[in-house]
Structure formats: C-alpha cells, structure tokens
Amino acid sequence: MRNGALPTTAQVNPVTAKETFLALMNQYDCDILHLAFSSGLSGTYNSCRLAAMELEEEQAPHRVIVIDTLCASMGEGLFVHKALENQKQGMSLDENVKWLEEHKLNLVHVFTVDDLNHLHRGGRVSKAAAVVGTMINLKPILHVDDEGHLIPVSKVRGRKKSLMALVDYMEAHMGSYEDSNDIIFISHGDAPEDASYVSQLIEQRFGIKTFLINYIGPTIATHSGPGTIALFFLGESR
C-alpha cells in the first residue's frame, strides 16, 4: 500500500461460514461461540448468523451462538480476550454470552490515520477533505460507535498531537472502568514506534503496564492504510 497497491476485501458468505462451523464441530466435538466482526462494517455477521440458523434447523450435533460484537480489529481481539478470561474463571457458555452482550458497548475503539486518502477511498471522507487535510497535515480522530460504525470525532494538526489525542480520549471515556483495564490493546498499520509511544503515554498517565501491541489485520488495514494507530480499552461508553 505504501507503494500504491489498492487491495480490496469481501465478506464471508453463509456457505463458507456453515462449512467452517461444521468442520470445527467435527474437530472439537463442542458448541461454538462466534464473535463476529461488526455488522456496522461488514455483512459477515449476518452470513454467520444465517449459517448458524441453518445448522440449528438441520439439527447439527452442537450449538453455534453468533454475537455481533460491534467491534473491529484488536477491539474484537480484546473482546475475545475477555471471553477467554471468563471461560477460565468457570463461566458456562450461556453465562459468557450474557456477559459479552451486556458489556460489548464498553469495548472502546479510538484511532487515527496517517493518510486521509485511504479514508476517502473507503467513502469516509470527501476527496476535497482528503486533499485539503493532507495539505495542512490534518489528522482525524475516529471511533467505533454503539452501532459498530466508524465515526469521526475530532481533528488535530500533526501526527504527535493525534497520538496524544487517543490517550486523551481514553481518559475521558474510562470512567469507573479504569481499574478493569488490566491490559490495553494497541494496533498499528506498520508503525510500531508510534504504537510504542502511545503505550508510554498511557503508562505515564494511568500507571498501566501491560499491553498487547500488534499489527492491524489486513481487512481493516486495507481501508485505514499504513500509519494507522488504534487504541482499545474498557470504558463507560464508546
């Protein structure tokens, strides 16, 4: 992408989802909890929901429960992390599903991009906004809202200020969940130094020392572009 490549993405179809669920049932002989990519960003959740309904109608040997996480990237990853923690603490599948449904809107996503043209290509900003914003070094701050959509929340001038704005957003939204953030997830589009800088800011401000920092997956990175930095944590509201 740095060299001009323009990849595309496609959602999973119900047939592929059904085949995958059946293969997992046969391999592990257990019920399946599928935490699906946000329905506000993809039709994949609906494909998986339809596949699960078909399997139920066909009296498959195990249940498939599909949750619309309303999350993306490592926000979805943090959701998976919490589900695994619940399982290790002895929650049943149904108890875990109840907890996840009750808390999915506490999974806060906030991110910034380095190149507005990728957001323009995905229809998030106009061509004029992308051109002018690039000229004046304007960096948008975006989040994933309660319906799982990407929504701009503010703009700042300069890369460093945009990274600091992510931590400011975290401070404003954690509220009573501050003590619940025993680990913070940060993803990046081939920008590990900037991701590390954000983790340092968080440690300095909140004393949190445990982070999972990793690359943004290819599906999201296709639309956000190189240089994207995203921060995920638990908060009172998105």
Side-chain angles (χ1 to χ4, degrees), residues 212-229:
L212 179 60
I213 299 175
N214 210 335
Y215 287 91
I216 295 172
T219 302
I220 297 296
T222 292
H223 300 282
S224 60
T228 300
I229 299 292

Side-chain angles (χ1 to χ4, degrees), residues 4 21 37 50 52 78 89 99 108 117 124 126 129 156-157 196 227:
F21 290 147
F37 182 39
L50 292 173
L78 182 56
Q89 291 169 8
W99 188 96
V108 186
N117 289 301
R124 301 297 171 186
S126 67
V156 296
R157 294 280 291 274
S196 178

Side-chain angles (χ1 to χ4, degrees), residues 29-127:
D29 191 27
C30 65
D31 293 337
I32 296 170
L33 173 59
H34 178 68
L35 305 184
F37 182 39
S38 172
S39 63
L41 298 172
S42 169
T44 295
Y45 159 70
N46 194 50
S47 293
C48 293
R49 182 184 64 83
L50 292 173
M53 289 174 60
E54 282 191 27
L55 289 168
E56 183 178 6
E57 290 170 0
E58 295 170 5
Q59 298 184 333
H62 296 287
R63 290 189 297 164
V64 179
I65 300 174
V66 180
I67 292 180
D68 180 5
T69 67
L70 302 173
C71 295
S73 187
M74 284 178 67
E76 192 175 1
L78 182 56
F79 204 47
V80 171
H81 173 75
K82 292 299 179 182
L84 289 170
E85 282 193 332
N86 290 341
Q87 183 188 48
K88 290 174 183 176
Q89 291 169 8
M91 275 193 189
S92 68
L93 176 59
D94 291 322
E95 289 170 338
N96 210 344
V97 168
K98 183 176 184 294
W99 188 96
L100 293 167
E101 288 286 6
E102 289 175 349
H103 290 87
K104 64 185 179 183
L105 295 184
N106 299 118
L107 272 291
V108 186
H109 307 49
V110 60
F111 69 101
T112 187
V113 301
D114 198 36
D115 186 342
L116 287 164
N117 289 301
H118 294 291
L119 289 181
H120 163 64
R121 189 163 63 89
R124 301 297 171 186
V125 300
S126 67
K127 180 63 175 177

